[in-house]
Amino acid sequence: MNRAATVLLTALAPVSWGTTYAVTTEFLPADRPLFTGLMRALPAGLVLLALARVLPRGIWWGKAAVLGALNIGAFFPLLFLSAYRLPGGMAAVVGSVGPLFVVGLSAVLLGQRPTTRSVLTGVVAAFGVSLVVLKAAGALDVVGVLAALASAASMSTGTVLTKRWGRPEGVGPLALTAWQLTAGGLLIAPLAFLVEGAPPALDGRAIGGYLYLALANTAVAYWLWFRGIGRLTATQVTFLGPLSPLTAAVVGWAALGQALTPVQLAGMALAFGATVVGQLRQRTPGATAGAPIQTFSFTEKNARKDSMDVTGPALRR
């Protein structure tokens, strides 16, 4: 039951991220992907850092910078660039190859050789998600597609490295999330001002959109995501990713009046089924699913300390 609860809580992160595309196109200033990435990452990182009251030490300054660059600093600008240039949930659809990236990277970095089931599940997930936006296939933007692929590769690498490195002794998921969001936001900041200039004027809708992205969509969602990485395998976590484009499609239907055809509904069923199959335990030659790798710097005892208690310095990652 504890594992099921972990899966369900972790799944809330990609569900939240599935609303990013609607919020970006409906509430935020146009053509400002870098500024949007900055406003999503840095405020959330600083808030969590103030709650965690823990700074990296030693080699973790470098590790936090690398993870922040992969999961946030590169991922956010690429994500928003693709969201601005691709219709609806198409950016997430192109990024649905993420599970296949993670399967391959897990073989290299975690010693977990790909299984037939994981590869087939990844293919089915990508195919199912592609059916959801089949009608938009004729309007693809090359830059948007490349940005979506690069964002998926960046976060997939960050997910696997987060699993490989774990986190320092006594440091919870809140602090690890704060480090990455802050580092990633600081990386985006100079690029945003250099490329896009001064911040745009913001109306009430834009302010509300940015507040939602920074707090619910980023601070809370990334805490749940990195908490899940600490308790599940990298492959299990990444197979929750298809929930993002599925959510984007549902939001487009419910809030934006976008129709869903029978083919799209069939694709949603395939992608959701692949997500469920991706959570089933399986043994791999390199490790047992659900068990931490021997090289991790945290123990099962530390994992049980993952709580929302914000009264001490070593709390949720």
Side-chain angles (χ1 to χ4, degrees):
M1 184 172 293
N2 287 337
R3 179 177 173 276
T6 298
V7 170
L8 290 175
L9 285 174
T10 307
L12 293 177
V15 168
S16 173
W17 298 335
T19 66
T20 301
Y21 309 101
V23 172
T24 298
T25 56
E26 298 297 317
F27 291 89
L28 305 185
D31 300 322
R32 301 303 293 263
L34 293 174
F35 179 76
T36 297
L38 172 63
M39 291 298 292
R40 182 181 175 188
L42 191 56
L46 293 176
V47 168
L48 294 186
L49 195 61
L51 292 174
R53 303 192 301 279
V54 178
L55 292 175
R57 287 186 291 182
I59 195 174
W60 268 96
W61 282 103
K63 288 184 176 181
V66 170
L67 294 177
L70 291 171
N71 288 321
I72 310 298
F75 176 67
F76 277 9
L78 291 168
L79 174 71
F80 283 106
L81 177 61
S82 64
Y84 278 119
R85 299 184 70 102
L86 296 176
M90 177 64 77
V93 170
V94 178
S96 66
V97 297
L100 294 176
F101 287 159
V102 168
V103 169
L105 289 168
S106 294
V108 176
L109 298 177
L110 302 180
Q112 298 176 348
R113 290 203 298 270
T115 65
T116 301
R117 192 180 83 183
S118 63
V119 173
L120 288 178
T121 304
V123 171
V124 170
F127 177 69
V129 170
S130 69
L131 292 182
V132 177
V133 292
L134 187 63
K135 63 178 183 180
L140 292 181
D141 178 271
V142 174
V143 174
V145 170
L146 292 177
L149 286 172
S151 69
S154 178
M155 189 169 186
S156 297
T157 305
T159 296
V160 175
L161 284 179
T162 300
K163 186 65 178 175
R164 176 179 175 86
W165 289 342
R167 56 182 184 269
E169 185 76 20
V171 172
L174 179 67
L176 184 63
T177 305
W179 298 348
Q180 295 186 56
L181 288 172
T182 302
L186 291 175
L187 288 173
I188 297 172
L191 185 61
F193 290 112
L194 180 64
V195 174
E196 298 178 350
L202 302 179
D203 57 17
R205 286 173 60 86
I207 292 173
Y210 282 128
L211 283 175
Y212 168 77
L213 290 182
L215 298 178
N217 189 267
T218 301
V220 174
Y222 269 88
W223 172 78
L224 291 172
W225 186 254
F226 292 127
R227 175 182 178 273
I229 292 175
R231 299 186 177 195
L232 304 170
T233 67
T235 303
Q236 287 173 318
V237 172
T238 197
F239 271 117
L240 294 171
L243 293 176
S244 178
L246 297 187
T247 302
V250 172
V251 170
W253 167 74
L256 305 180
Q258 299 172 355
L260 290 174
T261 67
V263 172
Q264 290 174 297
L265 293 173
M268 294 175 70
L270 283 175
F272 185 76
T275 297
V276 173
V277 172
Q279 304 313 306
L280 301 179
R281 293 181 183 272
Q282 61 179 321
R283 292 185 179 274
T284 65
T288 300
I293 302 299
Q294 292 296 321
T295 57
F296 290 174
S297 60
F298 62 96
T299 63
E300 184 64 23
K301 178 180 179 181
N302 288 330
R304 288 195 294 267
K305 295 179 181 178
D306 294 346
S307 68
M308 293 293 290
D309 179 16
V310 294
T311 58
L315 24 45
R316 39 168 177 141
R317 79 191 312 210

